[in-house]
Amino acid sequence: MAQPDSKKIFFENLSGAGKAIAVLTSGGDAQGMNAAVRAVVRMGLYVGAKVYFIHEGYQGMVDGGDNIEEASWESVSSMLQVGGTVIGSARCKEFRSHEGRLKAAHNLVQRGITNLCVIGGDGSLTGANLFREEWSGLLKELVEKGLIEADAVERYAALHIVGMVGSIDNDFCGTDMTIGTDSALHRIIEVVDAIMTTHQPHQKGSHLLSFHPHASRFRYLALVSALACGADWVLIPEMPPEDGWEEKIQGNLLAWCLNLTVFLCFFSAFGNFVIQTRSRGTRLNIIIVAEGSLDRHGKPITSTITTEYIKNLVVKHLGFDTRVTILGHVQRGGTPSAFDRILASRMGVEAVLALLETTADTPACVVSLCGNQSVRLPLMECVQMTQEVQKAMDQKRFEEAVKLRGRSFENNLRTYKLLAHRKPESELPVSNFNVAVLNVGAPAAGMNAAVRSAVRVGISEGHKMFAVNDGFEGFYKGQIKEVKWSDVGGWTGQGGSLLGTKRTLPAKHADKIAEQMRKYNINALLVIGGFEASLSLLELLAAREKYEEFCVPMVVVPATVSNNVPGSDLSIGADTALNAITDTCDRIKQSASGTKRRVFIIETMGGYCGYLATVGGLAAGADAAYIYEEPFDIRDLQVTERAGPPVRRRFVGTENENSNDNYTTDFIYQLYSEEGKGVFDCRKNVLGHMQQGGAPSPFDRNFGTKMSAKAMQWLSKKLLETYRRGRVFANSEDSCCLLGMLGRTLVFQPVVTLKDHTDFIHRIPKEQWWLKLRPLMKILAKYKTSYDVSDSGQIEHVIHTRPKESDASVAM
């Protein structure tokens, strides 16, 4: 299978010989920091550099001694799945002083360290940059005090800094996601899902869920949690309520509490929402309060009204049994998600590359994520823009603050507003268009969130929305019904496909499907599904010549755990499947912790697409991943065997189900079982359909929500463009598209143009971006290989990282 063709620069040209790199974690801890430390250490050692841990952050740098420890390959084993930071983190007042930084410089020079990889928040990175700027002066001062030799000033003339943002707050400008944010969202959503489950059997129940006190920094978590939970209201510092909100809350308390399935924070514009959730059978209202929010005058909301106060009002006015949960540091705890492990690993490798390529004139940079790509940005540009956000907030320039926060935050807020607030019927536009939504292919977590989003955005646009059960099979059988706003309430967190989904393609039943489209006057189609979904649109496009009913705008939103849809780097459901793989591998590794020399073979799904095996292997710390796209033979298995059990206490391998006709999971298991007699034993685990099950991850809930919302808006635009003489008629290729994420952008591509990029026999794209991650996985597992770094080595400016159609929150 062809790999991305580009001008390659390999590690052979990036020797780290003679260089010493130190890595530290500073400030608050965040899940995924250990994965970043592991990647820095192993990549540094791989290229021949000496790598050091600095324990306890800047405090350890100032104190020196055993706090600065040389790292080995084995010293970062088994840390990938551990939360927090195993090398420790501490606030350090002493480093803020000149004397403290002088001590730190002395400790680094003694070990020849002139390359620092700092994992922390904006404060930690700002401190690192100040240290860098003062470096030459500090060395001269050390010479004057007789603490170092004079020639050390020339030998260690420059200090090079590369930063990675480790923070659950995701409040650092320039990156779409910070290390730890996705894991924090997992903890929040787990709590909300658990609360909904335990309260659902009880009538007249309410639950207040509060973020950590004084947590105004948690606005990203609050906003994205609102999307992932299907919240009806949210209050964030960038969108404070109007004056008099306290009286309005108390005056509308009854309507407010009855109307909401999930309520995030406070909001004043409740209007005339009348509420029937209880009469419709809703048994629980969850109110999530993000403490630390401000009103328009900068006055803390929580100084006048607290979660306990709200609880008492609910009990007094409604008589509902009400409980309060304060999340606190739960958001920082637990194992890192698959997303954070992959993000941290990619960033750690990129950080080492940046240090290898740096020169005396290279400014300090921070490794960031934009869309689906790693980029390097000038550290202080990002810090200054982050500070500009707070300045705009202080000056009550709230709209500007939202824009400064970046497209990810802005898009999240816009999507939330679009879905949470249903306009009165009198204010809705009247389009007279009927739009049908259906799922095609295998079920994937996040499909229901996508359907909910499509229905509510469509209704907001004035369309009449129709749901089709069981894909095109249900379509030709007439399993079509109109769906209302309230019909999709609570769908966001549901796994599988509530509409039902089939692999049936439409060509064989085109006449009956056309008849149903005519019967229900369907003017547009939104198809949410995998490879079959894109094939379906190709068949409908071809059938336009015979059936005018198919001359309507149509769009595919990719949704499949296999992530094999041409035209999109990512598909809804793949992240949830990766977390299922990662969780299983963690448990297997734990079960083997007391066993020497045991091999585990794990089979993943994906058909001929090796995405789950490769990226799952990277996230789980596997020693090898066998896939169809990269042919292998018995010699590769011999290399794996030598690198695995005889050296390590355990070995975890992953293989996707169709990687090779002969070297199957059973064959590899039998091979290792036979050849390993007396040396190691072997176990196998076929994950199967558990990768398709379970509640969708926060990523997939939000990815499905935003992709579907964008697709519906595109359909609305196309409906207006193609409406002529009282009917919709769309027969151009660009009216039948797939919405995909490519690199940094979301792009609508005509499905007919994707034919040349598709391997129809094996049902995969001809080129797949994630193949570039395979060498990274091998390097971190100690295999000699080459790694394409042609996308590295260039520092971009913050303003250049936001393409027009970028939606950062769907980045991988």
Side-chain angles (χ1 to χ4, degrees):
M1 183 52 52
Q3 297 193 27
D5 183 23
S6 60
K7 184 179 180 181
K8 294 180 183 292
I9 306 172
F10 295 111
F11 281 126
E12 286 78 356
N13 302 321
L14 292 170
S15 173
K19 290 199 173 188
I21 300 171
V23 57
L24 71 147
T25 55
S26 178
D29 63 301
Q31 308 97 315
M33 279 184 166
N34 290 324
V37 171
R38 172 181 178 268
V40 170
V41 169
R42 292 197 167 179
M43 182 59 76
L45 293 174
Y46 188 88
V47 297
K50 276 191 174 182
V51 186
Y52 292 84
F53 295 131
I54 298 181
H55 295 279
E56 312 307 331
Y58 286 116
Q59 188 66 57
M61 192 188 297
V62 172
D63 294 342
D66 293 339
N67 288 304
I68 303 177
E69 173 193 9
E70 187 170 354
S72 67
W73 193 275
E74 289 72 24
S75 63
V76 292
S77 296
S78 302
M79 70 158 53
L80 188 63
Q81 68 272 20
V82 179
T85 166
V86 299
I87 62 174
S89 180
R91 311 284 181 184
C92 183
K93 290 184 179 180
E94 196 173 355
F95 188 76
R96 297 177 185 177
S97 67
H98 179 79
E99 189 61 31
R101 293 192 291 275
L102 187 65
K103 290 180 182 179
H106 184 214
N107 289 326
L108 294 185
V109 170
Q110 283 183 314
R111 294 163 178 81
I113 298 171
T114 56
N115 298 279
L116 275 184
C117 183
V118 181
I119 308 168
D122 57 338
S124 301
L125 299 181
T126 301
N129 190 67
L130 176 61
F131 190 39
R132 169 184 167 275
E133 291 175 344
E134 293 181 347
W135 181 256
S136 58
L138 293 172
L139 294 193
K140 291 177 182 177
E141 194 172 338
L142 289 171
V143 171
E144 292 171 0
K145 292 186 176 185
L147 296 175
I148 62 173
E149 299 295 331
D151 64 345
V153 176
E154 183 177 347
R155 200 159 63 245
Y156 307 118
L159 178 68
H160 307 295
I161 302 289
V162 173
M164 286 183 279
V165 187
S167 168
I168 69 171
D169 304 328
N170 201 33
D171 59 354
F172 190 82
C173 291
T175 186
D176 295 342
M177 287 287 277
T178 56
I179 297 169
T181 302
D182 186 71
S183 299
L185 286 170
H186 273 256
R187 301 295 92 78
I188 295 168
I189 299 308
E190 285 168 5
V191 171
V192 174
D193 287 350
I195 287 172
M196 293 182 72
T197 301
T198 191
H199 279 268
Q200 198 65 29
H202 305 285
Q203 293 189 12
K204 296 186 176 179
S206 292
H207 203 105
L208 275 68
L209 187 65
S210 173
F211 287 95
H212 194 276
H214 313 299
S216 59
R217 295 175 305 154
F218 289 78
R219 50 207 179 207
Y220 180 89
L221 293 180
L223 177 57
V224 178
S225 295
L227 280 171
C229 295
D232 292 274
W233 298 95
V234 64
L235 179 72
I236 56 175
E238 291 87 346
M239 191 177 65
E242 302 291 341
D243 292 342
W245 62 272
E246 300 96 335
E247 292 78 13
K248 291 181 181 180
I249 281 182
Q250 295 183 49
N252 293 280
L253 186 61
L254 179 61
W256 163 41
C257 290
L258 287 177
N259 188 41
L260 305 183
T261 303
V262 178
F263 178 86
L264 198 66
C265 309
F266 311 114
F267 200 78
S268 61
F270 296 139
N272 296 319
F273 285 91
V274 186
I275 15 340
Q276 304 166 355
T277 58
R278 295 283 175 180
S279 61
R280 287 196 303 264
T282 299
R283 304 168 72 90
L284 171 67
N285 302 120
I286 293 183
I287 305 168
I288 305 179
V289 181
E291 299 193 38
S293 298
L294 309 174
D295 64 18
R296 289 190 172 269
H297 303 287
K299 183 179 179 182
I301 288 175
T302 50
S303 67
T304 57
I305 184 165
T306 65
T307 51
E308 283 297 327
Y309 182 52
I310 300 170
K311 171 187 172 181
N312 293 335
L313 286 176
V314 173
V315 172
K316 178 180 177 181
H317 289 269
L318 301 175
F320 292 166
D321 183 25
T322 304
R323 298 289 185 270
V324 176
T325 296
I326 297 178
L327 287 179
H329 285 80
V330 167
Q331 297 159 94
R332 294 189 186 276
T335 61
S337 66
F339 182 102
D340 274 328
R341 299 184 198 195
I342 298 162
L343 173 66
S345 297
R346 292 179 68 183
M347 283 186 169
V349 168
E350 185 68 22
V352 172
L353 294 179
L355 288 172
L356 292 177
E357 296 170 359
T358 192
T359 66
D361 300 324
T362 305
C365 72
V366 59
V367 178
S368 300
L369 184 76
C370 180
N372 196 32
Q373 295 181 355
S374 296
V375 296
R376 302 177 196 173
L377 303 173
L379 190 153
M380 291 314 296
E381 272 192 33
C382 298
V383 170
Q384 289 163 9
M385 184 167 285
T386 303
Q387 293 170 346
E388 282 295 321
V389 174
Q390 190 56 52
K391 187 184 297 183
M393 291 293 299
D394 295 339
Q395 297 174 358
K396 303 179 181 60
R397 294 180 281 118
F398 302 115
E399 291 184 5
E400 183 179 346
V402 169
K403 291 181 180 179
L404 288 171
R405 289 276 282 136
R407 286 193 179 273
S408 173
F409 191 86
E410 195 174 1
N411 289 340
N412 281 322
L413 183 57
R414 182 167 55 247
T415 305
Y416 164 77
K417 288 180 178 179
L418 193 63
L419 295 174
H421 307 298
R422 183 182 182 183
K423 296 178 181 178
E425 295 291 338
S426 59
E427 296 182 19
L428 289 175
V430 180
S431 69
N432 294 319
F433 294 129
N434 295 344
V435 180
V437 57
L438 64 157
N439 296 333
V440 174
M447 275 184 166
N448 297 321
V451 172
R452 169 187 175 269
S453 176
V455 169
R456 293 197 168 180
V457 172
I459 291 173
S460 296
E461 303 265 327
H463 309 320
K464 189 177 287 188
M465 299 299 299
F466 289 84
V468 182
N469 295 109
D470 297 333
F472 282 106
E473 183 174 316
F475 210 137
Y476 81 79
K477 291 179 179 178
Q479 297 172 201
I480 305 169
K481 64 176 181 179
E482 185 179 356
V483 60
K484 302 288 188 180
W485 183 281
S486 60
D487 293 334
V488 292
W491 281 35
T492 308
Q494 298 293 314
S497 170
L498 293 176
L499 286 185
T501 180
K502 300 281 187 179
R503 297 181 183 272
T504 305
L505 297 177
K508 292 182 179 179
H509 310 284
D511 54 342
K512 293 181 181 178
I513 293 172
E515 181 183 336
Q516 295 296 336
M517 290 189 70
R518 187 164 56 250
K519 176 180 176 181
Y520 288 93
N521 190 29
I522 301 299
N523 306 118
L525 283 181
L526 172 58
V527 182
I528 301 166
F531 197 86
E532 292 88 354
S534 58
L535 287 181
S536 296
L537 257 64
L538 281 172
E539 291 186 355
L540 293 177
L541 182 68
R544 279 179 171 177
E545 295 181 4
K546 186 175 180 181
Y547 303 99
E548 284 193 0
E549 288 81 4
F550 299 144
C551 293
V552 297
M554 295 181 280
V555 64
V556 170
V557 172
T560 170
V561 301
S562 301
N563 196 34
N564 63 332
V565 179
S568 186
D569 291 348
L570 294 174
S571 298
I572 300 165
D575 183 72
T576 304
L578 284 175
N579 279 285
I581 295 168
T582 303
D583 290 345
T584 302
C585 289
D586 286 351
R587 296 183 185 189
I588 288 174
K589 291 167 77 174
Q590 187 179 52
S591 75
S593 59
T595 306
K596 290 185 178 180
R597 309 197 189 285
R598 175 165 289 176
V599 176
F600 286 93
I601 307 297
I602 300 167
E603 182 183 295
T604 64
M605 296 182 77
Y608 288 97
C609 180
Y611 175 81
L612 288 181
T614 296
V615 183
L618 177 61
D623 290 278
Y626 304 118
I627 62 172
Y628 162 77
E629 291 92 342
E630 189 174 284
F632 61 94
D633 56 27
I634 194 69
R635 288 168 293 185
D636 296 300
L637 297 179
Q638 288 176 324
V639 169
T640 301
E641 183 268 325
R642 292 195 195 103
V647 178
R648 307 176 187 188
R649 294 176 63 87
R650 60 187 176 277
F651 166 81
V652 179
T654 62
E655 177 189 26
N656 86 292
E657 53 194 344
N658 289 334
S659 58
N660 189 292
D661 290 338
N662 297 310
Y663 296 125
T664 63
T665 300
D666 286 336
F667 173 82
I668 295 174
Y669 166 71
Q670 292 168 3
L671 174 68
Y672 280 127
S673 296
E674 178 64 29
E675 298 297 324
K677 285 180 179 178
V679 182
F680 58 85
D681 59 2
C682 188
R683 300 287 187 274
K684 68 175 178 178
N685 193 315
V686 178
L687 301 185
H689 284 79
M690 67 176 293
Q691 297 160 89
Q692 288 183 331
S697 66
F699 182 99
D700 278 328
R701 297 183 194 200
N702 294 327
F703 190 27
T705 295
K706 282 176 284 191
M707 289 283 281
S708 206
K710 194 171 185 69
M712 275 305 308
Q713 291 172 323
W714 179 86
L715 283 176
S716 296
K717 179 182 176 183
K718 286 294 180 182
L719 283 167
L720 292 175
E721 289 178 356
T722 58
Y723 184 72
R724 296 289 185 274
R725 299 176 182 175
R727 59 170 294 194
V728 172
F729 187 80
N731 63 349
S732 60
E733 292 180 351
D734 65 357
S735 65
C736 185
C737 287
L738 178 141
L739 172 59
M741 181 181 178
L742 296 178
R744 308 186 190 185
T745 60
L746 292 177
V747 182
F748 288 95
Q749 306 154 85
V751 292
V752 69
T753 64
L754 297 175
K755 292 171 69 175
D756 293 337
H757 304 282
T758 303
D759 177 352
F760 287 97
I761 295 175
H762 297 101
R763 298 161 58 85
I764 55 175
K766 289 182 178 178
E767 293 187 358
Q768 303 182 88
W769 69 273
W770 52 265
L771 287 169
K772 287 187 176 183
L773 298 181
R774 287 190 59 77
L776 187 154
M777 185 202 69
K778 292 181 179 180
I779 287 165
L780 297 182
K782 211 173 184 177
Y783 289 87
K784 289 294 181 182
T785 187
S786 294
Y787 183 59
D788 181 5
V789 294
S790 59
D791 294 332
S792 304
Q794 231 170 349
I795 291 184
E796 301 182 10
H797 293 285
V798 179
I799 193 171
H800 292 156
T801 68
R802 303 293 174 189
K804 184 177 180 182
E805 294 298 322
S806 165
D807 187 349
S809 58
V810 297
M812 186 48 154

